[in-house]
Amino acid sequence: MDMKEKLQQIAESARQSIEKAQSPEKLNDARLMFLGKKGELTQILKSMKDVSPEDRPKVGQLVNDARSHIEKMLEESRKKLEAAALEEKMKREVIDVTLPAKKAKLGHRHPNTIALEEVERIFVGMGYEVVEGPEVEYADYNFTKLNIPEDHPARDEQDTFFINDSILLRSQTSPVQARVMEQGKLPIRMIAPGRVFRSDEVDATHSPSFHQIEGLVIDKNITFADLKGTLQEFAKELFGPETKTKFRPHHFPFTEPSAEVDVSCFKCGGKGCRFCKGSGWIEILGCGTVHPNVLRMCGIDPEEYTGFAFGVGLERIALLKYEIDDMRLLYENDIRFLKQF
Ligand code: DAH
């Protein structure tokens, strides 16, 4: 058999092997079988030394032609396999553009946050600044500077968590009053929202951690009348223009005189209903004119300056506004509950 025939045979069996190879691995096996170091074509090249010198160029040409022919077949087959694989992959990963898009789940503001933003909006509208104080506070600021000396029974009423003898988790936002007054920038018109702590058992109306919003105004000639006007305005903005306010005498160590404020029930308009427990009124906050002792301890001359203060429970406002009957719901963070507001 002459060389030409032999090469044709090799090319033909290469074609068959390549056709049979249905994966890149099999195709590579075919390549090695014909073009590899021990491949059939390589064997022929090795036997060139037995070819007579005058025939060598011709035979060499034939071998090269066979080689490039086989390479071409391999390359074509490789392309075909790749295209088929891609096709297969695209079929598997097909995207149905008519399907509804996945919506990113947006968070939701907590009822406390909504209520706080409402209160802030009202007071900022009246020219108040919003400030913050530390949750871990000196007993000095939480009590002493607010006219609650050591061993005063009012300390027991606001039993809280002590870090050591002189540092505690604040039981009220009132210490922010002392901190702002001490800075000595007058006049003052501020509200201070924040978390407070008490050693209370959890029930429908109590939690060891809740929120208050403190208010403080200090200027020349501030009177109880300013306090009444301000809080009346606040109550109307928060609960509706028909809302009436009632100031009941009370005692707080840091204000004198002091009062608790009730608003007319916004459910029944004051006639008495289940919501206001038949009284027509709902208690919302404590307030008063700042005690001269407090002013003095915070470096302000009570002969020159006077002021008023108030403290609102944020949860109380949120519970009232959204008619929630159990405070614990505010802390459970059940998305089905929170989504309603
Ligand atoms: N800090 C008081 C409390 O937690 C609330 C309060 C009452 C704040 C009267 C005041 C105020 O600023 O004047 O019970």
Side-chain angles (χ1 to χ4, degrees), residues 108-113 195 211 326-341:
H108 193 282
R109 284 184 309 163
H110 192 277
N112 269 356
T113 312
R195 188 186 285 271
H211 300 78
D326 193 324
M327 189 176 183
R328 285 168 286 199
L329 291 166
L330 291 177
Y331 304 120
E332 279 166 4
N333 285 336
D334 185 328
I335 195 78
R336 291 165 302 180
F337 167 76
L338 293 175
K339 270 205 297 217
Q340 300 173 63
F341 305 97

Side-chain angles (χ1 to χ4, degrees), residues 137-146 172 174-175 178-179 182:
E137 184 57 284
Y138 291 106
D140 225 26
Y141 283 94
N142 197 76
F143 293 126
T144 320
K145 286 173 200 273
L146 296 173
Q172 47 186 353
S174 305
R179 286 183 173 271
E182 273 188 354

Side-chain angles (χ1 to χ4, degrees), residues 158 171-174 177 198 210 212-215 252 254-255 258-259 285-289 308-312:
Q158 296 197 0
S171 63
Q172 47 186 353
T173 43
S174 305
Q177 289 190 32
R198 307 243 174 125
F210 57 103
Q212 291 185 330
I213 306 164
E214 195 74 16
F252 295 106
F254 34 90
T255 41
S258 304
L285 58 82
C287 64
T289 11
F308 65 75
F310 55 89
V312 197

Side-chain angles (χ1 to χ4, degrees), residues 108-157:
H108 193 282
R109 284 184 309 163
H110 192 277
N112 269 356
T113 312
I114 305 173
L116 174 59
E117 284 177 359
E118 177 70 4
V119 173
E120 286 182 347
R121 185 188 65 74
I122 296 168
F123 281 105
V124 168
M126 293 196 255
Y128 286 57
E129 207 181 330
V130 181
V131 302
E132 275 180 30
E135 290 172 7
V136 181
E137 184 57 284
Y138 291 106
D140 225 26
Y141 283 94
N142 197 76
F143 293 126
T144 320
K145 286 173 200 273
L146 296 173
N147 205 30
I148 311 171
E150 253 172 74
D151 304 322
H152 192 285
R155 292 208 180 197
D156 289 341
E157 272 170 37

